[in-house]
Amino acid sequence: MSDELKSGEGLKPKLALRNLRMEYLVREGSIKAVSGVTLFIDEGKITAIVGESGSGKTSLVETFLKILPKNARIRGGEALLRLSNGGEVDLVKADERTMGRLRGKVIGYIPQGAQNSLNPVLTVEQHFVETLKNHGLWDQESSVSEIRSMLSLVRLDPDTVLKKYPFELSGGMKQRVVIALTMVLKPELVILDEPTSALDVFSQRVLLNILSNVSMQYRNTMVLITHDIPVVAELADRVAVLYAGTVVEVGDTYEIFKEPLHPYTSMLISAIPSVADIYVKRIPKPVPGEPPSLLNPPPGCKFHPRCPYAVEKCRTSEPPLYEPKKGRFVKCWLYSGGEKL
């Protein structure tokens, strides 16, 4: 099957992860945090990667960005990034010098708690100047105009914010400054890890609208890491569901919510409280059981101890990714009649 068919809309993927594997070495053995992930990120779209805490979402991003701790080991696979100039680079094989050139200019990364990464002794303006100078992009006249334009895009008044220090800003304002700092470099691929987790409901709503506007204006590719399913429904074009370090379902956001294929995806959606529940009297159901240990994962399908449809084959053999419908991929023996990825 070609990459064009694997991508959601018949386009070559911006980022193609194939059988990516990474583990952490600990005293007790190895924690298999990323276990054979295959995922294709569509260019110009927002792809959400969702799953419970501990499912490996952040570890996956840190693997292909190669910002792992010393006890981590990449055990195989590839992460092929397609560049705007037509070239390609396998991030897994790239050396640190190459990755240093890609981070920031080509790949923008906003980690969890990014608002706390601002230097408390620098003003917002100084943050922008240093960022642009470090990447060789500073130009007095054009850069000042670009900075002000970017702050306005994230709904911050440049005249008010530029001279302020981080401690003078609210959490939501600091988060927007970090987004502006990332976007001022005009990266081709932007990765946001739990961007709304530390914000109140109002600030979350503002930030979601900002991210949507930024995506439309710059047409860059975004990857949104989150466990907040309503945020996914609001913002994402496509969804990849991660469980125990591997992708178990991928599809268009509307189709995923309308007709989830994997039992785990269905349970995640059923666990979401909704305003409509007041009227239909649906009680949100938590996903039963506990996530498996990634130190000693169960054999076969890793979800089988929690799955109501598990049969003997699920307990002994791990299923491949199937494509039961065009653009829909699911790692489950229930769909073994579909084409394998």
Side-chain angles (χ1 to χ4, degrees):
M1 188 187 303
S2 68
D3 286 348
E4 286 80 2
L5 292 179
K6 294 170 187 173
S7 179
E9 297 200 356
L11 305 172
K12 288 193 72 174
K14 182 66 176 177
L15 178 66
L17 308 178
R18 293 182 178 90
N19 198 27
L20 192 60
R21 303 185 304 280
M22 184 275 293
E23 60 188 34
Y24 298 110
L25 303 181
V26 295
R27 184 178 302 173
E28 297 81 3
S30 62
I31 298 173
K32 300 164 185 65
V34 179
S35 183
V37 167
T38 295
L39 177 62
F40 299 88
I41 304 297
D42 287 359
E43 184 164 16
K45 300 293 184 180
I46 301 176
T47 299
I49 300 178
V50 304
E52 296 169 288
S53 296
S55 60
K57 303 185 295 297
T58 298
S59 292
L60 173 61
V61 170
E62 291 178 347
T63 298
F64 66 75
L65 287 181
K66 299 175 82 170
I67 51 173
L68 294 162
K70 291 182 179 180
N71 68 325
R73 300 290 185 274
I74 298 176
R75 295 305 192 190
E78 67 176 15
L80 200 63
L81 178 67
R82 189 161 58 91
L83 305 174
S84 60
N85 63 10
E88 292 182 328
V89 57
D90 184 355
L91 302 179
V92 171
K93 296 179 181 178
D95 57 27
E96 184 53 36
R97 184 177 180 181
T98 301
M99 292 303 299
R101 291 198 301 265
L102 293 174
R103 296 188 199 110
K105 279 187 178 180
V106 179
I107 306 174
Y109 178 44
I110 303 175
Q112 291 187 51
Q115 64 270 28
N116 299 320
S117 65
L118 295 172
N119 190 327
V121 300
L122 297 181
T123 64
V124 170
E125 182 176 33
Q126 289 170 325
H127 276 91
F128 277 98
V129 172
E130 284 205 358
T131 297
L132 290 167
K133 284 184 175 179
N134 287 340
H135 289 276
L137 298 174
W138 175 254
D139 176 84
Q140 181 68 39
E141 186 173 345
S142 62
S143 294
V144 169
S145 175
E146 183 67 26
I147 291 168
R148 296 180 69 87
S149 175
M150 188 59 65
L151 285 171
S152 297
L153 182 62
V154 298
R155 301 186 187 179
L156 291 173
D157 178 16
D159 293 328
T160 303
V161 170
L162 279 171
K163 299 300 181 182
K164 289 188 178 294
Y165 291 90
F167 71 87
E168 297 178 286
L169 306 175
S170 69
M173 293 172 74
K174 286 189 284 187
Q175 185 77 325
R176 282 181 272 165
V177 167
V178 173
I179 291 171
L181 280 167
T182 301
M183 297 305 302
V184 79
L185 298 175
K186 296 183 175 62
E188 300 172 26
L189 174 65
V190 181
I191 300 160
L192 303 105
D193 193 348
E194 301 284 6
T196 62
S197 61
L199 304 179
D200 58 71
V201 174
F202 176 76
S203 297
Q204 286 183 10
R205 171 61 56 181
V206 171
L207 185 61
L208 291 176
N209 289 335
I210 288 169
L211 292 174
S212 179
N213 292 337
V214 168
S215 176
M216 286 189 292
Q217 178 157 334
Y218 287 93
R219 301 299 300 166
N220 45 23
T221 305
M222 285 189 179
V223 176
L224 174 65
I225 309 295
T226 185
H227 65 273
D228 193 335
I229 304 298
V231 168
V232 173
E234 181 83 15
L235 196 61
D237 299 300
R238 282 176 67 76
V239 180
V241 182
L242 206 65
Y243 183 78
T246 193
V247 172
V248 296
E249 184 168 356
V250 184
D252 173 83
T253 302
Y254 175 77
E255 292 180 354
I256 288 274
F257 279 85
K258 180 183 177 183
E259 186 185 6
L261 300 181
H262 198 281
Y264 176 61
T265 309
S266 181
M267 290 179 182
L268 280 180
I269 294 172
S270 296
I272 306 169
S274 167
V275 173
D277 298 341
I278 300 172
Y279 304 102
V280 300
K281 304 299 182 185
R282 180 179 73 88
I283 301 174
K285 300 177 181 178
V287 181
E290 297 292 333
S293 165
L294 298 183
L295 186 63
N296 295 297
C301 172
K302 293 181 176 64
F303 187 63
H304 85 255
R306 307 170 75 182
C307 182
Y309 307 105
V311 296
E312 187 58 33
K313 189 174 187 179
C314 303
R315 301 181 180 93
T316 57
S317 302
E318 184 175 5
L321 269 174
Y322 289 104
E323 187 181 20
K325 300 179 182 180
K326 186 174 181 180
R328 295 292 303 274
F329 304 95
V330 58
K331 191 168 188 167
C332 179
W333 288 118
L334 291 172
Y335 302 92
S336 57
E339 185 179 357
K340 293 182 183 180
L341 179 62

